[in-house]
Amino acid sequence: MDKREEELLVELVSANGVPGNEDEVRAIFKKHAEPFADKIMYDGLGSIIAKRVGAKEGPKIYFSGHMDEVGFMVTQITEKGFIKFQTLGGWWGQVMLAQQVQITTTEGKIFHGVIGSKPPHVLTPEVRNKPYEMSDMFIDVGASSDEMVKAWGIRPGDMITPYIEYRRMNDTKFMLAKAWDNRVGTAVSLKVLENLAASGHPNVVFAGSDAQEEVGLRGARTSANLVDADISFALDTGTAGDTPGMTPEEADSVLGEGPQILIYDASMIPHKKLKEFVIKVAEENNIPFQYTVIAGGGTDAGQMHLARNGVPSLAITVPVRYLHSHTSIIHEDDYLNTVKLVTEVVKRLDEETVRKIKEY
């Protein structure tokens, strides 16, 4: 990976953006997409889409990550200056305690905090041996009163994001950061747009990043209706199954062995002919890939494929360890091979190919 690509990834994961507060990420996307786009478009929820016309007005191909990360929202400031919060996206309480966070005010000021709870020393054995209730957690910002917190400008509704600094793990290809879900998909979208601008393409491409995926695939519904594509791809993350304790059924993906082609999730069954086309492109170009199933979740393709009269859609995902936590890990090669696969797929989606995929 060259230095410029790594800098893009670091810039994206360092940005803060929970559902409904994606401004920072949207600005980064626009900055990197504008040099390669004929037009920058937005839906009413804030999803951003870069349109680029190829050699001719061919079929419309949409590929999109999503901007938002799992996080929290300020709901209440206690009399003693502690912050109560609402989770945004799917959190597991056991990964939250004693983790650092940042609160971003409406004015853009950032305050540091840590998620706290009662100490285990005062809990009964029954409570201590059970997962701690998220409703009993709070954020300590080092304040002594609600007046102090309010004077800082912190208000209910303010964004709270996990805090961690990006790092490459011990000079390997493993990369640690918050928000790989789904800044890595956003990076793939931007890099594919850049590649197509350099190589040419026989279609009209729409490279995007959707708003509010983590709270119900909301931006994908509105952006898909705006684009009105012939073919759509969700560029997202999937679970890795290569850590201790995973069953053989769960261990279907390994970091470093390529992007995942999602053959089933709770939000959609992928279009069969489109799926087979993508697999053929991967095999012909010797691009490694893995099959995966997400029985309990979905991607933006779950909304993309229901747009208008129905759109052949597929999710292509980057495997990630420790999803929906402060500290997730990807493998550099999986990102690079996802970019390569999506680029090669889109380059081959000419009018005749799309017609064959869509015909019954």
Side-chain angles (χ1 to χ4, degrees):
M1 179 184 293
D2 65 38
K3 182 179 179 182
R4 190 169 65 89
E5 277 192 275
E6 186 166 7
E7 287 173 349
L8 171 62
L9 289 168
V10 174
E11 186 177 10
L12 284 165
V13 295
S14 300
N16 292 330
V18 299
N21 284 272
E22 297 97 343
D23 306 64
E24 258 188 81
V25 189
R26 187 163 41 246
I28 294 169
F29 187 97
K30 181 181 180 183
K31 178 181 70 174
H32 289 278
E34 272 188 319
F36 310 105
D38 298 316
K39 182 181 181 181
I40 300 293
M41 306 160 54
Y42 304 91
D43 68 12
L45 297 184
S47 304
I48 184 169
I49 303 135
K51 177 182 178 181
R52 180 180 177 85
V53 180
K56 61 177 183 177
E57 287 277 352
K60 293 187 287 186
I61 313 301
Y62 184 31
F63 48 91
S64 183
H66 68 82
M67 290 180 284
D68 55 320
E69 62 188 293
V70 294
F72 316 96
M73 175 192 292
V74 175
T75 56
Q76 181 187 355
I77 303 166
T78 72
E79 185 178 353
K80 293 187 176 181
F82 295 98
I83 308 293
K84 300 294 287 183
F85 59 87
Q86 167 68 45
T87 56
L88 298 175
W91 279 95
W92 186 38
Q94 287 183 243
V95 303
M96 290 167 53
L97 283 175
Q99 296 291 335
Q100 296 179 70
V101 295
Q102 290 184 325
I103 300 174
T104 305
T105 68
T106 303
E107 291 75 27
K109 295 179 180 178
I110 294 177
F111 293 89
H112 212 77
V114 63
I115 298 176
S117 68
K118 285 184 178 180
H121 311 72
V122 302
L123 300 177
T124 64
E126 293 77 20
V127 174
R128 190 164 56 241
N129 292 324
K130 293 193 303 182
Y132 200 84
E133 293 291 336
M134 285 188 278
S135 59
D136 294 330
M137 298 179 192
F138 53 83
I139 293 171
D140 187 339
V141 289
S144 55
S145 68
D146 55 351
E147 288 85 1
M148 180 182 291
V149 175
K150 291 173 183 176
W152 291 344
I154 297 175
R155 298 287 185 273
D158 284 346
M159 168 173 66
I160 308 170
T161 47
Y163 173 78
I164 180 179
E165 294 184 2
Y166 164 86
R167 70 174 61 240
R168 187 175 283 272
M169 299 287 285
N170 304 310
D171 296 320
T172 69
K173 292 187 176 183
F174 293 90
M175 304 162 78
L176 174 77
K178 74 173 183 68
W180 285 130
D181 183 12
N182 183 29
R183 306 293 159 67
V184 68
T186 296
V188 171
S189 181
L190 286 166
K191 186 59 181 176
V192 170
L193 176 66
E194 181 181 344
N195 288 350
L196 294 171
S199 65
H201 52 99
N203 39 40
V204 181
V205 296
F206 296 83
S209 193
D210 295 322
Q212 298 191 39
E213 189 269 356
E214 296 291 0
V215 289
L217 317 181
R218 296 172 186 175
R221 178 183 300 186
T222 49
S223 66
N225 285 331
L226 174 65
V227 171
D228 191 20
D230 293 291
I231 301 287
S232 292
F233 297 97
L235 309 175
D236 209 325
T237 56
T239 57
D242 57 355
T243 52
M246 301 292 274
T247 67
E249 292 78 16
E250 294 164 338
D252 60 354
S253 293
V254 176
L255 261 63
E257 295 193 3
Q260 301 163 309
I261 294 176
L262 197 56
I263 60 174
Y264 172 85
D265 70 38
S267 70
M268 72 169 296
I269 297 171
H271 191 277
K272 182 178 179 180
K273 286 194 283 186
L274 179 59
K275 178 187 68 179
E276 294 304 318
F277 173 76
V278 171
I279 291 169
K280 182 180 178 183
V281 171
E283 291 174 342
E284 288 178 347
N285 289 272
N286 297 313
I287 302 170
F289 70 92
Q290 309 176 74
Y291 297 105
T292 195
V293 170
I294 304 177
T299 71
D300 277 343
Q303 288 297 332
M304 290 172 170
H305 81 294
L306 298 175
R308 307 295 186 183
N309 295 324
V311 180
S313 301
L314 182 69
I316 301 174
T317 58
V318 177
V320 179
R321 291 178 185 163
Y322 324 123
L323 278 167
H324 287 205
S325 74
H326 281 60
T327 49
S328 52
I329 296 176
I330 67 167
H331 194 284
E332 174 183 326
D333 290 347
D334 294 332
Y335 163 73
L336 295 173
N337 280 313
T338 304
V339 170
K340 184 177 180 181
L341 176 58
V342 178
T343 300
E344 294 302 321
V345 165
V346 176
K347 283 165 59 176
R348 288 161 173 76
L349 285 171
D350 56 23
E351 193 168 355
E352 177 65 14
T353 302
V354 171
R355 182 188 65 78
K356 288 180 178 179
I357 288 172
K358 294 179 73 174
E359 70 183 5
Y360 290 96

